[in-house]
Amino acid sequence: MYLISNREMLHHAQRSGFAVPAFNVHNLETVQVVAETAAELQSPVIMAGTPGTFSYAGTDYLVEICQAAARRYNLPLALHLDHHETLDDISAKVRQGVRSVMIDGSHLPFKQNIQLVRDAVRLCHRYGASVEAELGRLGGAEDNVVVAEGDSFFTDPAAAAEFVDQTGIDSLAVAIGSAHGLYQGEPKLDFARLSEIRQQVSLPLVLHGASGIPEEMVQRSIALGICKVNVATDLKIAFADAVKAYFLTHPDANDPRKYIAPGKVAMQAVVREKMRICGSIGKL
Ligand code: 13P
């Protein structure tokens, strides 16, 4: 098996009324957890990496590890470029085998966002890679990209139609109130806006910042057209908390195979739960 685009997965999800979970991975262990769980539960899955993750792990390592996981479990796997901002960076990674791309021009004025995304689509489609783009701007923090609440803004449904039409993207990330990282208090999602966007465009929609969003809100978003649900923070917290707890009871531990193991178990429980919430179990 090799790395695939997310196009077929998301269309399958759209036709069947579920969402494909996209989990941010960072290294061998996090890829192992996601692949093993996807195989066990027969769930389609996307492994996502920010530019920071690809720099940390090395694109060559990450591509090879994900390909090995796809072969080992006979899984159609998408390794996805999460929030990538430049064509040079995307081009280099697509040439190394990545087939699922997000070009994030959400910080740019509308017309410039369109131009950047259109160029990314032209580049990626030559390689059969799928392209996701964001309209509106999510608040919160992911890696070193921090968007203050005042700088975030929601997706305008009418603009979404023009954006999709002018760019030729395969999926659209919407800003409807979710945020990257931890929420202060209960998140509020603008479901009316999501339905309006759905009426304007027919392509698969993407929900970023799904950590900390209650189950019923995620499921309502899926019923209204969300086909890809991005999760990072909830996995990191589960993993780190379990490793911290292990060190509290084993202060002299020094074998990474031992102290990392509880982190993987805790992360796996979250991956399973998110697959259940997304309705993706058994949908491979
Ligand atoms: P969270 O860290 O809030 O889950 O967001 C993940 C995400 O949207 C990745 O693009």
Side-chain angles (χ1 to χ4, degrees):
M1 298 297 285
Y2 53 95
L3 300 177
I4 59 169
S5 89
N6 69 32
R7 198 179 291 114
E8 291 309 317
M9 289 185 193
L10 297 196
H11 282 144
H12 176 204
Q14 189 169 31
R15 283 193 305 272
S16 308
F18 70 94
V20 180
F23 298 114
N24 283 74
V25 293
H26 311 281
N27 53 14
L28 171 66
E29 286 78 9
T30 48
V31 170
Q32 284 174 324
V33 170
V34 173
E36 187 185 309
T37 317
E40 175 197 315
L41 299 182
Q42 290 292 291
S43 169
V45 79
I46 295 167
M47 310 243 195
T50 58
T53 289
F54 279 90
S55 311
Y56 164 76
T59 302
D60 49 356
Y61 275 129
L62 218 46
V63 166
E64 297 286 340
I65 290 170
C66 289
Q67 278 176 341
R71 277 195 301 274
R72 168 180 278 244
Y73 296 108
N74 198 23
L75 273 180
L77 251 189
L79 171 61
H80 177 75
L81 304 184
D82 195 23
H83 293 285
H84 277 56
E85 294 188 356
T86 72
L87 292 179
D88 283 350
D89 192 14
I90 289 171
S91 168
K93 287 167 181 165
V94 166
R95 281 166 213 268
Q96 288 187 77
V98 172
R99 290 291 176 268
S100 178
V101 171
M102 178 192 189
I103 173 83
D104 187 353
S106 63
H107 52 288
L108 297 172
F110 186 60
K111 293 283 175 209
Q112 284 174 39
N113 190 359
I114 287 182
Q115 189 55 53
L116 176 71
V117 173
R118 192 191 280 153
D119 290 346
V121 167
R122 197 174 299 132
L123 165 75
C124 292
H125 282 183
R126 286 210 305 269
Y127 289 86
S130 52
V131 180
E132 169 187 334
E134 180 172 320
L135 190 63
R137 192 154 203 226
L138 250 73
E142 184 165 45
D143 272 5
N144 48 5
V145 179
V146 181
V147 180
E149 211 174 309
D151 293 332
S152 66
F153 60 99
F154 286 5
T155 308
D156 170 353
E162 186 184 346
F163 189 73
V164 170
D165 191 50
Q166 300 267 318
T167 56
I169 48 171
D170 301 287
S171 58
L172 177 70
V174 292
I176 54 166
S178 63
H180 292 121
L182 294 173
Y183 291 90
Q184 326 263 357
E186 174 99 339
K188 287 190 189 64
L189 298 190
D190 186 343
F191 293 111
R193 183 178 297 269
L194 180 57
S195 332
E196 272 182 64
I197 297 169
R198 172 75 306 164
Q199 280 161 30
Q200 295 287 334
V201 298
S202 60
L203 80 181
L205 303 176
V206 179
L207 182 68
H208 281 249
S211 291
I213 299 186
E215 171 173 347
E216 57 285 0
M217 286 190 174
V218 174
Q219 290 181 338
R220 194 165 163 204
S221 312
I222 295 170
L224 291 170
I226 293 292
C227 302
K228 171 173 175 273
V229 170
N230 287 15
V231 182
T233 304
D234 278 348
L235 305 179
K236 289 200 274 197
I237 290 174
F239 197 112
D241 282 355
V243 174
K244 284 183 235 174
Y246 185 83
F247 274 114
L248 280 180
T249 51
H250 304 76
D252 298 327
N254 59 20
D255 184 339
R257 294 167 301 180
K258 297 214 167 109
Y259 63 73
I260 287 176
K264 291 174 74 176
V265 171
M267 177 179 161
Q268 184 163 45
V270 180
V271 169
R272 280 201 188 101
E273 177 65 359
K274 300 292 181 190
M275 286 175 170
R276 185 189 64 72
I277 292 172
C278 285
S280 64
I281 293 175
K283 299 285 174 33
L284 205 55

